[in-house]
Amino acid sequence: MKLWCCLCFNVPDEEQDDRNFPNHMKEDDIFGNDFVVDAVPDAVNADVGNDECYNQFVLLEEMARVMPECDEALNSWSGAFHAEGESSSAAGLENAVAKENRDLSHKRAKFDAEFDEGHFAVTPSSNARKCTASTEYGDYDYVKGSLRANSDVCYDAFTAMSAVEEGDFDSGFVKDGEGDDSDISRGEDLEVRMDLTDDLLHMVFSFLDHPNLCKAAGVCKQWRAASTHEDFWKSLNFEDRNISVEQFEDMCRRYPNATALSISGPAIYLLVMKAISSLRNLEVLTLGKGQIADTFFHALADCSMLKRLNINDSTLGNGIQEVSVNHDRLCHLQLTKCRVMRIAVRCPQLETMSLKRSNMAQVVLNCPLLHELDIGSCHKLPDAAIRAAATSCPQLVTLDMSNCSCVSDETLREIALSCANLSFLDASYCPNISLESVRLPMLTVLKLHSCEGITSASMAAIAHSYMLEVLELDNCSLLTSVSLDLPRLQNIRLVHCRKFADLNLRTMMLSSILVSNCPALHRINITSNSLQKLALQKQDSLTTLALQCQSLQEVDLSECESLTNSICDVFSDGGGCPILKSLVLDNCESLTSVRFISTSLSSLSLGGCRAVTTLELRCPNLEKVILDGCDHLERALFCPVGLRSLNLGICPKLNALSIEAMLMVSLELKGCGVLSEASLNCPLLTSLDASFCSQLTDECLSATTASCPLIESLILMSCPSIGFDGLCSLRWLPNLTLLDLSYTFLVNLQPVFESCSQLKVLKLQACKYLTDSSLEPLYNGGALPALQELDLSYGTLCQSAIEELLSCCTHLTRVSLNGCANMHDLNWGCSLGHMTELPGVGVLSIASTHENVHELSEQPTRSLQNLNCVGCPNIRKVFIPSTAHCSRLLFLNLSLSNNLKEVDVSCLNLCWLNLSNCSSLEVLRLECPRLTSLFLQSCNIDEEAVEAAISKCTMLETLDVRFCPKISSMSIGRLREACLSLKRIFSSLSTS
């Protein structure tokens, strides 16, 4: 049987917050004998059967999500939804109902097969096995979220849950006749009953914390009984809770088998004395923030099961007499930040003890099994007391005496003799110790932060700790050198050691080293088979580095300004780091010649190494190199390397270059103005940018094109040494699609037209030596049939060459004629190929007869999409009618054309028109229905002309009329009325 469950609650918004009933409990009611039920969830009061089933399912589903152990329980419980045979027929539903009704021995949750508002809908659909919340309710995560209420509020409710016996469950939670067998009379053929056994519910609840148990108690009587089971309340926490002695006694009476108790506050003494007499099974007791009298410690023996005692921030005893802790089974004792004059501990089973930050003046220990002692920051303990306490514990393994300023070497020697198994010692901030004649052979961790007595002579004592794994020597201001041969050392720290100069480590297991802010350090020698990462940043005086580290993969020596060229031998093959992959030498300003021969190096950073003049890399696996700031590099050799891209444009003094890179696809030499020798062997190279390489010759270009036949993009802008012979070498580049010859002295482009048949982009900016006939093969000979973009900006081509080009090369999509002084009026309203001079005006074409107009209509559609005529000083009129076949024109830029007076454009698809800074503009006619942006900034056009122009642009959204002296702020409203589609008008709000 397959069921579809829908949760449809109609609860007003102001009532939804009332569902979390513990939030409505008053402080006076929490620990009282009467349970207040005024804040019971409406869903429970309305129909506990339905909500009971749903909440059980939600809880189980949530448990299955966060704890896989509950998944089996969820599957078992969900199995009640499916009748035998998985039948979706009415008969199958009735059989399932009858089967469930046979067993009424347990408390059962139910839901109705059909519902009114507030009930669940059960639809026997073959493809529906979901349970979703009504959109009115929001999302069933809200219901799940109700189980996660504020922990403090929910936890207070556990006393309210247990205040009423299971049989006294208030009737307010369940309506009369609901939740028992009398429900059968409500139409057994329309409801399905399911049992959630007590054992299964107990197992599920075992995964809940106390706040969720408190929420679960509000579902039904069965869940209340299960959630108050003593198995779930073994640990009672009353930290920072306002609870009376009577209420506490009631809790102890209800849960006498509790094993853990936490109490804090001024009344802890009275409460803990009640606990000792009532809770005989206590194993963990935590107290804090109060005063504990001597009688507590005398009565402590009555808690025979106690194993752990924690007291924090409390006053022990009366402050004068000795406090004694005697217990036969206590294993862990923690007295942190406690105030006591003297303390004696006699616990034969005690294993760990902490007196951290307590101000006692005397401590006596009789704990033969103690293996962990923490007396850190016990400032009042004298040296003799520390010695007596530690030496009385022969099994001691861990000792923390940090911030005990009176500890002496004599105490350490006595401890070393008495505690042969000591493996952890923290003696930080103990200025009187030097480890003279101290022998701790079993020590594995030694922390000596800010120990002023530690010097290089102390290393002799540390060298006897052949089991040492961790050594920390931070802020040892008198330490000058460390030389250790420890086979097990794994971690060493040397931070802020201002006189430290020499580090010599021979330890095969060293895996971590931190050396920082040691300004005098100049020599490091490390031998290790486990070290994988070495960071020695900002070691200004470091000059010598010797490494024998077979596993080292990453090294960072940033800002080690004194490193010399000899460092290259350390990281080359045979230098002791055979698998080094990453090396960072940023801002090592003493490096002048860098030479690496490494088969493992894959990443090298030399950023900011301004003194480097020569670079030689023979690293076949090198994939990344950073040379930012190497602005004095003169010679570079990359043979061989595994680089895929390389940027040397930041090395303006580079004059000799050799590259052998079988995988390189991109090379940038932009700005290498003195580069005269270049040898490139990059068979996969597709992009080469040699802009501003003024010394690059035809011979060098020929050699490059021969060895790099796959080049697709070649930029030779401002390479004046490139001539006809260099262009002839382009025949070796069959895939060339982009060629930039801007700012060159070329005269003849015939090699380009003959050999670059795949060229799509040709840039010829400021090629002032090109003659009027230089581009004739383009429009007369049909050269470069694939060409799409042509840039002739700032050229000297005459008007006739430009107009022939625009007339015949209809396949161009982007043309740039910026700054062309010889270009006059742009008039496409005339027939192509017929020129007639008008007095004082040069035009592209003139149509004077009906035949010419007919001829124009038969011309092919232009592919032009973008036309740039920025800063053309002599253009005065632009006329592009609809018959000009410019239906694909999208962008037209005529800005900075000071003499432009008249613009008449009719383009169906034009969407962007820029006429900014055309100060002479007077006439503007536009029939561009898809124009969205019009820029008229700093134009002298009047508002009537603008209003008439935009009235036919029905899709115009942006209009810029800033600094237009004839358009005032009063005109903005008229412009909006003229073009209703306008969304943005940029105006300087002038009031002319």
Side-chain angles (χ1 to χ4, degrees):
M1 178 177 62
K2 302 178 182 179
L3 305 177
W4 177 275
C5 300
C6 294
L7 179 62
C8 298
F9 290 132
N10 284 331
V11 182
D13 294 340
E14 60 271 20
E15 295 178 6
Q16 289 184 4
D17 292 336
D18 295 340
R19 295 180 180 276
N20 297 326
F21 76 92
N23 293 335
H24 299 270
M25 293 180 182
K26 298 180 180 179
E27 186 71 17
D28 297 335
D29 298 327
I30 291 176
F31 297 100
N33 293 325
D34 295 327
F35 185 67
V36 180
V37 296
D38 293 338
V40 175
D42 295 339
V44 175
N45 286 327
D47 192 341
V48 72
N50 297 335
D51 295 338
E52 177 181 276
C53 168
Y54 180 75
N55 284 321
Q56 287 177 349
F57 183 79
V58 167
L59 180 63
L60 281 169
E61 188 181 47
E62 177 70 8
M63 290 300 100
R65 184 180 66 83
V66 299
M67 286 170 290
E69 296 87 346
C70 293
D71 190 43
E72 182 178 354
L74 176 62
N75 293 334
S76 300
W77 188 80
S78 300
F81 281 80
H82 305 283
E84 295 181 1
E86 292 291 313
S87 174
S88 60
S89 63
L93 178 60
E94 293 174 359
N95 292 337
V97 172
K99 181 177 180 181
E100 293 296 333
N101 287 338
R102 294 191 189 104
D103 185 5
L104 300 177
S105 60
H106 298 287
K107 301 175 182 178
R108 294 174 296 185
K110 64 182 180 58
F111 62 91
D112 295 334
E114 295 184 355
F115 65 93
D116 297 322
E117 288 188 358
H119 292 70
F120 291 95
V122 180
T123 303
S125 174
S126 61
N127 59 355
R129 295 185 181 181
K130 302 179 181 178
C131 183
T132 58
S134 170
T135 55
E136 297 180 12
Y137 191 78
D139 192 346
Y140 86 92
D141 284 340
Y142 178 92
V143 181
K144 292 197 289 187
S146 67
L147 298 177
R148 305 189 198 96
N150 180 275
S151 59
D152 292 336
V153 178
C154 286
Y155 188 77
D156 286 342
F158 77 88
T159 54
M161 294 186 333
S162 58
V164 182
E165 296 298 331
E166 181 179 351
D168 297 330
F169 192 96
D170 196 286
S171 61
F173 280 91
V174 185
K175 289 185 177 181
D176 293 340
E178 290 188 3
D180 54 26
D181 296 346
S182 63
D183 291 323
I184 302 176
S185 61
R186 290 184 52 197
E188 294 186 2
D189 58 328
L190 294 179
E191 69 178 25
V192 178
R193 297 178 178 275
M194 290 166 293
D195 291 339
L196 189 61
T197 65
D198 293 338
D199 291 340
L200 178 58
L201 195 61
H202 189 89
M203 182 190 71
V204 173
F205 279 12
S206 68
F207 295 102
L208 295 181
D209 55 11
H210 287 172
N212 280 331
L213 282 171
C214 295
K215 296 303 298 178
V219 175
C220 62
K221 287 194 282 186
Q222 184 191 15
W223 283 36
R224 164 167 292 235
S227 62
T228 57
H229 197 282
E230 65 176 0
D231 288 351
F232 307 141
W233 300 94
K234 294 290 186 181
S235 177
L236 305 179
N237 190 343
F238 296 96
E239 292 183 359
D240 300 316
R241 308 304 305 178
N242 186 14
I243 181 172
S244 67
V245 176
E246 293 77 12
Q247 293 168 339
F248 183 78
E249 286 180 337
D250 183 63
M251 286 302 304
C252 293
R253 184 172 60 256
R254 294 184 182 278
Y255 298 106
N257 295 321
T259 59
L261 175 65
S262 298
I263 313 174
S264 65
I268 59 172
Y269 174 68
L270 296 176
L271 300 182
V272 74
M273 295 305 294
K274 291 293 183 181
I276 290 177
S277 61
S278 303
L279 306 178
R280 295 300 183 178
N281 295 321
L282 273 183
E283 297 179 2
V284 179
L285 180 59
T286 302
L287 310 174
K289 300 180 182 179
Q291 184 168 2
I292 303 175
D294 295 338
T295 52
F296 163 74
F297 296 98
H298 296 156
L300 194 62
D302 295 339
C303 283
S304 59
M305 306 298 292
L306 192 65
K307 295 182 179 179
R308 183 183 294 272
L309 174 62
N310 304 323
I311 303 178
N312 179 55
D313 195 14
S314 300
T315 300
L316 309 183
N318 56 14
I320 300 176
Q321 297 178 348
E322 179 181 87
V323 171
S324 298
V325 181
N326 301 321
H327 200 283
D328 293 337
R329 292 193 178 184
L330 194 65
C331 297
H332 308 280
L333 176 62
Q334 180 175 319
L335 307 175
T336 306
K337 294 178 62 179
C338 290
R339 296 165 290 281
V340 61
M341 182 61 66
R342 295 180 297 275
I343 187 169
V345 181
R346 297 176 179 86
C347 301
Q349 300 295 325
L350 195 65
E351 299 176 359
T352 67
M353 180 178 180
S354 175
L355 303 174
K356 200 174 190 69
R357 301 177 67 186
S358 295
N359 64 354
M360 63 201 68
Q362 186 68 33
V363 58
V364 177
L365 302 182
N366 185 3
C367 309
L369 298 183
L370 189 69
H371 65 261
E372 182 177 329
L373 176 61
D374 185 353
I375 53 176
S377 299
C378 293
H379 301 291
K380 291 187 178 181
L381 273 181
D383 187 36
I386 295 175
R387 184 187 314 162
T391 55
S392 66
C393 305
Q395 303 298 323
L396 203 61
V397 175
T398 299
L399 175 61
D400 186 344
M401 56 174 62
S402 58
N403 279 291
C404 294
S405 57
C406 57
V407 175
S408 64
D409 283 336
E410 179 63 26
T411 294
L412 288 180
R413 283 192 290 269
E414 291 291 333
I415 292 174
L417 293 175
S418 302
C419 307
N421 297 320
L422 189 66
S423 63
F424 178 99
L425 175 62
D426 189 348
S428 300
Y429 301 95
C430 297
N432 298 324
I433 66 172
S434 64
L435 299 183
E436 182 180 354
S437 301
V438 177
R439 301 291 183 268
L440 295 166
M442 302 303 293
L443 207 61
T444 59
V445 178
L446 177 59
K447 298 184 178 182
L448 299 171
H449 296 207
S450 301
C451 293
E452 298 176 1
I454 297 298
T455 64
S456 300
S458 305
M459 298 302 108
I462 296 177
H464 286 84
S465 301
Y466 60 90
M467 302 291 289
L468 196 64
E469 298 177 359
V470 177
L471 177 61
E472 299 181 2
L473 299 169
D474 296 359
N475 292 291
C476 293
S477 56
L478 299 180
L479 185 64
T480 58
S481 65
V482 172
S483 181
L484 294 172
D485 186 353
L486 297 172
R488 296 178 179 269
L489 187 64
Q490 300 176 16
N491 189 315
I492 186 170
R493 286 174 53 99
L494 291 157
V495 180
H496 292 291
C497 299
R498 63 175 183 269
K499 294 185 177 181
F500 183 64
D502 191 358
L503 175 61
N504 190 346
L505 294 176
R506 183 178 179 83
T507 166
M508 294 297 103
M509 299 185 67
L510 184 68
S511 59
S512 175
I513 177 172
L514 177 59
V515 180
S516 177
N517 291 291
C518 299
L521 181 63
H522 69 270
R523 181 178 179 274
I524 294 179
N525 189 341
I526 300 176
T527 301
S528 171
N529 286 338
S530 301
L531 188 63
Q532 296 185 6
K533 184 175 182 179
L534 178 63
L536 299 171
Q537 301 175 356
K538 298 183 180 181
Q539 303 303 322
D540 297 341
S541 302
L542 183 63
T543 57
T544 304
L545 181 64
L547 300 175
Q548 291 294 327
C549 302
Q550 304 301 312
S551 300
L552 191 63
Q553 298 184 30
E554 300 180 32
V555 175
D556 188 347
L557 298 173
S558 299
E559 300 184 50
C560 294
E561 298 179 358
S562 299
L563 281 177
T564 62
N565 296 335
S566 61
I567 194 68
C568 300
D569 297 331
V570 177
F571 300 112
S572 293
D573 289 346
C577 305
I579 64 171
L580 183 68
K581 294 182 179 180
S582 175
L583 176 61
V584 179
L585 297 172
D586 292 347
N587 298 303
C588 295
E589 297 185 358
S590 295
L591 296 177
T592 59
S593 179
V594 176
R595 179 176 182 270
F596 289 107
I597 303 175
S598 172
T599 56
S600 62
L601 193 65
S602 62
S603 176
L604 174 64
S605 180
L606 296 170
C609 296
R610 301 186 181 279
V612 174
T613 58
T614 303
L615 176 64
E616 183 177 343
L617 300 178
R618 301 182 183 274
C619 308
N621 292 312
L622 186 66
E623 298 177 354
K624 180 180 179 181
V625 62
I626 298 176
L627 300 172
D628 295 344
C630 298
D631 47 15
H632 286 76
L633 185 64
E634 298 177 0
R635 302 182 64 84
L637 183 146
F638 302 85
C639 299
V641 292
L643 296 171
R644 296 183 61 85
S645 64
L646 178 62
N647 182 3
L648 294 173
I650 48 182
C651 305
K653 296 186 177 181
L654 186 67
N655 58 63
L657 175 65
S658 180
I659 300 178
E660 181 183 335
M662 298 297 103
L663 300 177
M664 184 173 292
V665 296
S666 176
L667 175 62
E668 184 170 332
L669 303 174
K670 185 177 183 179
C672 297
V674 296
L675 182 64
S676 58
E677 300 178 21
S679 175
L680 306 180
N681 183 12
C682 308
L684 298 183
L685 191 68
T686 59
S687 176
L688 174 60
D689 186 349
S691 303
F692 303 100
C693 294
S694 58
Q695 303 298 320
L696 196 65
T697 63
D698 287 345
E699 292 76 10
C700 182
L701 179 59
S702 299
T704 299
T705 56
S707 60
C708 308
L710 298 182
I711 291 179
E712 298 176 0
S713 174
L714 179 60
I715 300 177
L716 299 173
M717 182 174 65
S718 295
C719 295
S721 299
I722 298 297
F724 184 83
D725 293 339
L727 293 185
C728 290
S729 68
L730 298 181
R731 67 181 182 275
W732 303 112
L733 304 178
N735 299 323
L736 188 65
T737 58
L738 186 151
L739 178 61
D740 191 345
L741 298 173
S742 302
Y743 296 92
T744 58
F745 300 151
L746 294 169
V747 177
N748 190 350
L749 298 178
Q750 192 63 32
V752 176
F753 298 140
E754 293 179 352
S755 57
C756 302
S757 59
Q758 302 298 319
L759 199 64
K760 295 181 179 180
V761 179
L762 178 60
K763 296 186 178 183
L764 300 170
Q765 294 184 38
C767 293
K768 298 182 179 180
Y769 291 92
L770 290 178
T771 64
D772 294 342
S773 61
S774 297
L775 298 181
E776 186 174 352
L778 278 178
Y779 49 82
N780 284 339
L784 305 182
L787 191 65
Q788 297 178 359
E789 180 177 341
L790 179 63
D791 192 343
L792 298 172
S793 301
Y794 310 104
T796 58
L797 294 181
C798 68
Q799 174 75 22
S800 60
I802 294 176
E803 55 195 24
E804 287 291 339
L805 181 71
L806 293 176
S807 300
C808 299
C809 296
T810 57
H811 56 283
L812 293 176
T813 60
R814 182 185 180 96
V815 177
S816 295
L817 300 170
N818 303 324
C820 290
N822 294 330
M823 183 178 177
H824 302 292
D825 293 358
L826 185 63
N827 191 332
W828 288 353
C830 308
S831 63
L832 300 177
H834 297 276
M835 285 295 303
T836 302
E837 294 292 336
L838 291 180
V841 180
V843 296
L844 260 65
S845 314
I846 297 179
S848 58
T849 64
H850 176 74
E851 291 79 7
N852 288 339
V853 174
H854 179 70
E855 180 183 354
L856 180 64
S857 64
E858 294 179 354
Q859 296 298 320
T861 301
R862 303 173 189 264
S863 298
L864 189 63
Q865 299 178 10
N866 193 316
L867 178 61
N868 294 309
C869 298
V870 179
C872 296
N874 296 318
I875 190 170
R876 285 169 290 182
K877 178 180 179 181
V878 173
F879 179 44
I880 306 178
S882 58
T883 56
H885 300 283
C886 293
S887 60
R888 298 182 183 178
L889 186 63
L890 301 176
F891 302 91
L892 178 60
N893 193 346
L894 299 165
S895 60
L896 296 171
S897 298
N898 294 329
N899 292 318
L900 182 61
K901 294 184 178 182
E902 181 179 350
V903 174
D904 188 347
V905 178
S906 298
C907 291
L908 177 63
N909 292 309
L910 187 69
C911 63
W912 192 89
L913 175 61
N914 190 353
L915 297 171
S916 298
N917 295 286
C918 296
S919 56
S920 301
L921 185 64
E922 297 177 355
V923 178
L924 179 61
R925 301 186 186 92
L926 299 178
E927 291 188 11
C928 305
R930 296 184 181 178
L931 186 69
T932 59
S933 300
L934 175 61
F935 301 91
L936 298 172
Q937 187 177 150
S938 300
C939 290
N940 201 32
I941 192 170
D942 56 33
E943 59 184 53
E944 289 79 7
V946 175
E947 182 180 351
I950 66 175
S951 62
K952 297 182 180 181
C953 302
T954 56
M955 298 181 66
L956 188 64
E957 296 181 355
T958 301
L959 175 63
D960 188 348
V961 291
R962 286 175 291 182
F963 311 110
C964 293
K966 294 183 179 181
I967 299 180
S968 65
S969 58
M970 304 297 295
S971 306
I972 303 302
R974 294 180 55 187
L975 295 178
R976 289 190 179 277
E977 292 178 0
C979 184
L980 299 178
S981 62
L982 271 176
K983 295 180 179 178
R984 294 171 295 275
I985 298 181
F986 297 100
S987 172
S988 56
L989 300 180
S990 60
T991 57
S992 58

